Amino acid sequence: MAFSREALDFLAENRLRDSRDWFKAHKGDYERLVLAPMQELVVRLTPVMRAIDPQLICEPRVGRSISRIYRDTRFSRDKSIYRANVWCIFIRDKQLWEGPPAFYADISPAGYSYGCGYYQASAASMAIIREMVLAGDRTFRAAAAALRAQPAFALEGERYKRSKYPERPAEERDWLDRKSIGASAAGSDLGLLCSDRFAEQAARDLAGLAPFYRFLMTAESRRPRPEQAEGFAPDPFCGR
């Protein structure tokens, strides 16, 4: 089941009305128009995600691989209730604030985007990434080559105002000067989005980011853990 123009119109109208009563009265439309095709998208992307990393969470449920339609306003000045977009995410652990790298696909009335990134990377993780770039780590070289081979994807992430590595080549600085890092592709072709070809294209393109994901996960694996600290006693009930 592909997304439809009606689904995009629903997202826009629900955000504009921003009414719990209106949403409650039209919840069936949300489930039919928005949730059902998003569940289908998760199912169709799951084989690619599993092939890249069998530990990725691939569950077509809200709160697991699918976002909620309402916003978390606890720490935001913007108290609007609903968002105009919906997304799916494939990540190993959703309970960690400094979460591991993840894949995503986002749908909105304006179009779509999908990609892979280290969106909640710690300062320690980004320091390790910079060390790997500077050392010419083989996983970095493979990740850089994968992005060059897929021009639809652009490197993203907040930059430092001034480069800390002005002497390095421009391509390396594009990686070194970021506070967080990811790669995404975006489009506004609603004809593509509202067709079965969208899931096929997203699956194919995301599969091409496997080397980028491996680079980020290599950095994640090198990040110091609390249990590595001297005198740390692991909780015997951890993970049960």
Side-chain angles (χ1 to χ4, degrees):
M1 175 186 295
F3 286 93
S4 64
R5 301 295 180 103
E6 194 177 1
L8 304 181
D9 289 343
F10 176 90
L11 287 171
E13 183 172 4
N14 185 57
R15 175 65 181 87
L16 183 63
R17 290 180 179 273
D18 204 40
S19 164
R20 295 186 189 277
D21 289 339
W22 189 88
F23 179 78
K24 184 177 180 180
H26 294 81
K27 188 175 180 180
D29 293 334
Y30 158 74
E31 294 174 344
R32 174 176 58 89
L33 297 171
V34 177
L35 181 57
M38 182 56 76
Q39 290 173 320
E40 177 67 19
L41 181 61
V42 170
V43 169
R44 294 186 65 176
L45 293 179
T46 290
V48 171
M49 298 295 106
R50 293 293 193 200
I52 293 173
D53 183 353
Q55 295 187 53
L56 290 172
I57 297 171
C58 302
E59 298 180 22
R61 295 190 291 122
V62 172
R64 294 298 284 170
S65 292
I66 298 176
S67 69
R68 293 175 172 84
I69 191 66
Y70 56 84
R71 300 175 60 251
D72 183 350
T73 62
R74 291 174 297 172
F75 309 107
S76 174
R77 292 183 179 180
D78 180 0
K79 298 303 180 181
S80 56
I81 304 168
Y82 297 101
R83 60 180 87 254
N85 63 318
V86 63
W87 67 85
C88 57
I89 186 170
F90 303 93
I91 192 170
R92 281 189 176 187
D93 190 340
K94 298 195 69 177
Q95 304 306 313
L96 299 175
W97 168 246
E98 292 179 346
F103 289 89
Y104 83 95
D106 182 280
I107 309 300
S108 77
Y112 62 86
S113 67
Y114 48 74
C116 173
Y118 212 157
Y119 301 108
Q120 296 174 161
S122 65
S125 299
M126 293 305 299
I128 292 169
I129 284 176
R130 284 188 281 273
E131 290 174 2
M132 295 170 68
V133 173
L134 292 170
D137 187 278
R138 63 181 179 82
T139 60
F140 163 66
R141 296 198 304 270
L147 289 189
R148 287 195 297 270
Q150 296 202 81
F153 283 97
L155 207 60
E156 62 181 2
E158 183 182 358
R159 291 177 177 270
Y160 290 101
K161 293 182 178 180
R162 180 176 297 179
S163 176
K164 298 184 179 182
Y165 305 91
E167 76 286 356
R168 304 299 294 192
E171 182 181 15
E172 288 188 9
R173 292 201 306 272
D174 200 21
W175 299 70
L176 293 167
D177 292 339
R178 297 184 184 274
K179 299 178 182 180
S180 61
I181 195 164
S184 68
S188 58
D189 184 348
L190 301 186
L192 171 64
L193 176 57
C194 298
S195 73
D196 288 334
R197 293 182 292 115
F198 175 71
E200 296 171 2
Q201 177 174 304
R204 181 176 62 252
D205 290 349
L206 291 173
L209 288 183
F212 182 72
Y213 177 77
R214 284 193 287 270
F215 166 62
L216 300 184
M217 285 302 296
T218 300
E220 170 74 5
S221 71
R222 296 178 184 179
R223 180 166 64 91
R225 295 299 194 273
E227 62 268 22
Q228 294 174 335
E230 184 177 354
F232 178 83
D235 182 348
F237 296 99
C238 181
R240 294 190 180 181

